[in-house]
Structures are given as C-alpha cells and as structure tokens.
Amino acid sequence: MSNVSLESRERRGVRNTHNIISIIFLSLVALLALSFSVVLLIRNATIQREEDAVKSELEAITAEGHYTTAETEKMVEEAKNLGAEEEARTIRKSIQEKLENGDGTTSAIRSLFPDQMVVASSGRYYFFPILDSIEKHGFSADDFEINDRGLLEYKGSDTSFSFKSGIDVSRFQGEIDWEKVKNAGVDFAFIRAGLRGTTEGKLLVDDYFEYNIKNATENGIEVGVYFYSQAVNAEEAKEEVQMVLDLIEPYKVTFPVVIDIESADSDSARTVDMTSDQYELVAKTFCDTVRQAGYEPMIYGNVKSFTLLMDAADVDEYGIWIAYYGTPLYYPYHFDIWQYSSTGQIDGIDGNVDLNICVTDY
C-alpha cells in the first residue's frame, strides 16, 4: 500500500512539474504577445500622429495657395487647353479682320509669323527665319507714308538719313520730258541699260537708254543704271556687265550700277531651273566686276529674290534695291533703295512709272 502511494505521489509530482513549466511557458508567450501588442499600438499611434501631421500640413499648404503635384499637373493641363483655345480664337479673329479689311491671304499669314519671312510661290508658302547675323534696316511700320501726290515720305525722327525721291525707267515709258521730271521733284533716276532675252539669251540695248541718260544728266538728275539679267553662269554675267560698262563710259553715273535678279516668268525661260548658288554666282560676278571698274554695285530684287533665288546673307556685302509695293515694308534687312510703287504718276512721263526712295547718300 505504501509503495503505490509513493509511486502515485511521484507521478503527481512529475505532472505538477510539467504543469508549472507549461504555465511558465504560456506566461512567457502571453507576455511576449502583450509586449508585441503594446509595440504595435505605439507604432500605430505614431503613424496616426504622422498622418495627422501630414494632413494638417497639406491643409495648411492648400490654404496658403499651394497645391499637390497631382493638383498642379491638372491645373497646368487645364490652363494649356484654355490657352490653346484662346490662342486659336485670337488667330481666327486676326485673320478674319485682315481679310475683311481687304488684305490678301498672304498678308494675313505673314502677320502671324513676325519672326519669319513668308514667301508665296507657285501655290506654296515658304518660311525663312529672320537672321540676327544680317543688319536690319531699323525703320518702324509708321516711319513712312504715302502723301496725296502718291509719293513716299519719311515721318520718323531719325535725322541721320538722307532721303531722295527717284524713278526707274526703260523703253516702256517712251520719250520722257526730263525737264518736267526734274521740276516735279525727282532727285535721281535708274535707267535701264539693256537686257538679255529670256529664252534665246540675246543681249539687247534698251531703245531709250542713250536718250534717257543724256537728258536726265543734262537736267541735273543723278543717274544710276540697271541691267535685266538672264545670265545662267559667270561667263554670261561677265558679258552683261561688260556691255553695261561700255555703255555708261561716256556719262557721269553717280548712283549704283545694278543687276536685276528676278524669277522666271514662264516655264520656257532659260533661268527656270537655276539654283540659288547659280543665281548668287551670277550676281556676285556682276557686282564684283562693277566694283573693280570703280562704280557702286547693287542687286535689285523683291522679297522672293532675296529668299528663294538667293540667300540674303550671301549677297549682304552689296547694295540692296528692294522692290515692295505699299507700306509698311515687308523686308527686315538693310536696304539702300526701296521701289515702293509701279503705278506712280510723274509730270513729264506718260503713263505709269516705278517710284523709289533712296536712304543712302551716294
């Protein structure tokens, strides 16, 4: 009986020991779980405080007029769309006003690109950036106006320029009364010396060259001469300039000797396939020969001549005679002579005559 009791007691002792260990282990697990829970609670509280602080900061920033990246990007996109719509309305209104005022399509388009020269040719539009490397003429849109006699007058305040009024003539004006022309206030005249045929390329002296240059100079009008070129290479340019130099040798020519560079009038013209390099070579050959002979060289042309046919920068060293009818002048670079009308009326000349203003003192 005692042995059983002893064994029983031993078994109970073992169970009790096991129970105590289990209790201790569970207590440790519970303690760890409690500690982890406390850490999580503390962490969550910290995160919540940080979130509240961020929200509070964002609310403060928004209240002060600042926005999140998403809000800013959204507002920028909305502003771009509104700006594009407003710009489109402005452009349409500008074009509409110009067309209603009688301006042509080309003029309306040019007004939209003030930093470029827009040239219309053969149903296409060409755009040429205005270069800072070329000297500008410096006149404003309001510096010139046409008076009641149809003559261009300078209305600006720059007194450093010496303005003279002139014409250019050829056989098309017929026999001119140069005394009346002088009394009408004409200071200078460019007289056509000759031309080259547009198809066969034959050199021709203007029928009225000798009459015009003789009578113009006798009436105290300063003269220059020009040649309508259709040269296709340097050799032909030399032929043209030599013809001019021979013609003017007996006379006092104080204004420039000019090569007239214009685009071909028809598909059959001999210059129709010339490149800008070829045009420039002809112009330079002519002008360099004129300079070597002791005269002032000059190139005559319109906006197309100094963009499509030649690069204005490549002929910048020579005098420039720009043809553009009406005001303001649509040409940004420096010039010496401006041909502003082809329908001028001058006493002593029957019919229309080209009118010019000179801004350079020769």
Side-chain angles (χ1 to χ4, degrees):
M1 186 74 178
S2 297
N3 290 334
V4 172
S5 298
L6 179 60
E7 291 175 356
S8 175
R9 283 197 301 272
E10 288 177 350
R11 285 196 297 272
R12 283 198 300 271
V14 170
R15 286 198 297 272
N16 289 337
T17 301
H18 288 166
N19 289 337
I20 292 171
I21 293 173
S22 298
I23 291 171
I24 292 173
F25 177 77
L26 291 175
S27 298
L28 290 173
V29 170
L31 183 61
L32 289 173
L34 178 61
S35 300
F36 183 71
S37 297
V38 171
V39 169
L40 286 179
L41 288 173
I42 294 174
R43 178 59 180 165
N44 287 339
T46 302
I47 292 173
Q48 185 64 44
R49 284 196 303 273
E50 291 176 351
E51 182 179 347
D52 291 342
V54 170
K55 286 183 178 179
S56 176
E57 183 177 352
L58 287 175
E59 290 175 357
I61 290 175
T62 302
E64 294 176 1
H66 300 284
Y67 302 94
T68 65
T69 301
E71 290 173 330
T72 302
E73 290 176 350
K74 182 179 180 181
M75 287 188 291
V76 168
E77 188 63 29
E78 290 175 350
K80 286 170 60 178
N81 293 335
L82 290 174
E85 292 175 2
E86 181 63 29
E87 182 67 18
R89 284 194 295 269
T90 301
I91 291 174
R92 288 196 298 269
K93 183 178 179 182
S94 174
I95 294 176
Q96 179 180 346
E97 289 176 350
K98 288 185 173 296
L99 294 177
E100 288 176 345
N101 290 333
D103 293 345
T105 304
T106 300
S107 177
I109 293 175
R110 283 174 170 174
S111 68
L112 303 177
F113 298 90
D115 58 340
Q116 299 184 71
M117 282 192 288
V118 182
V119 181
S121 178
S122 303
R124 295 179 59 187
Y125 286 96
Y126 300 86
F127 297 80
F128 298 89
I130 297 175
L131 305 175
D132 291 333
S133 58
I134 306 178
E135 181 185 353
K136 310 301 188 298
H137 59 66
F139 296 113
S140 70
D142 300 324
D143 278 348
F144 294 94
E145 68 176 32
I146 304 294
N147 63 22
D148 55 4
R149 296 174 54 207
L151 302 178
L152 190 69
E153 290 185 346
Y154 176 68
K155 296 297 183 180
S157 58
D158 192 340
T159 59
S160 63
F161 288 96
S162 176
F163 299 97
K164 292 183 179 180
S165 180
I167 58 176
D168 60 271
V169 298
S170 67
R171 64 183 298 271
F172 295 109
Q173 277 68 47
E175 190 168 311
I176 298 171
D177 187 332
W178 285 99
E179 183 178 0
K180 288 184 178 180
V181 170
K182 175 63 176 178
N183 293 333
V186 172
D187 301 309
F188 68 90
F190 279 102
I191 297 166
R192 189 173 72 170
L195 69 153
R196 184 188 288 274
T198 58
T199 54
E200 296 180 1
K202 184 179 180 180
L203 292 177
L204 301 169
V205 178
D206 189 283
D207 297 342
Y208 280 80
F209 168 72
E210 186 175 347
Y211 172 83
N212 283 332
I213 194 170
K214 179 180 178 181
N215 285 277
T217 53
E218 286 180 354
N219 282 278
I221 295 175
E222 296 186 82
V223 297
V225 297
Y226 71 96
F227 187 92
Y228 178 74
S229 176
Q230 286 288 292
V232 296
N233 53 47
E235 289 72 27
E236 290 191 351
K238 290 178 181 178
E239 292 176 358
E240 293 177 351
V241 69
Q242 189 58 55
M243 174 181 168
V244 173
L245 293 174
D246 291 341
L247 286 171
I248 66 176
E249 185 178 3
Y251 305 100
K252 184 180 180 181
V253 176
T254 56
F255 265 58
V257 175
V258 184
I259 181 171
D260 181 349
I261 299 288
E262 300 179 54
S263 59
D265 293 330
S266 68
D267 293 338
S268 62
R270 64 201 314 269
T271 58
V272 70
D273 293 323
M274 286 179 63
T275 65
S276 60
D277 287 342
Q278 290 173 312
Y279 272 114
E280 290 172 6
L281 177 60
V282 166
K284 290 179 178 181
T285 300
F286 188 101
C287 289
D288 289 345
T289 306
V290 167
R291 183 173 286 160
Q292 291 168 8
Y295 297 96
E296 187 71 28
M298 177 175 281
I299 301 173
Y300 168 92
N302 52 28
V303 174
K304 183 177 178 180
S305 301
F306 294 106
T307 51
L308 287 176
L309 304 190
M310 299 174 290
D311 189 329
D314 292 336
V315 294
D316 189 46
E317 63 179 291
Y318 307 111
I320 300 297
W321 181 4
I322 184 70
Y324 183 80
Y325 304 144
T327 56
L329 172 62
Y330 187 74
Y331 186 74
Y333 303 130
H334 72 92
F335 64 91
D336 302 281
I337 310 287
W338 173 10
Q339 184 187 84
Y340 60 88
S341 175
S342 62
T343 58
Q345 299 292 311
I346 296 292
D347 191 25
I349 300 176
D350 293 332
N352 295 332
V353 65
D354 296 337
L355 300 178
N356 301 271
I357 191 169
C358 177
V359 303
T360 300
D361 188 13
Y362 291 109

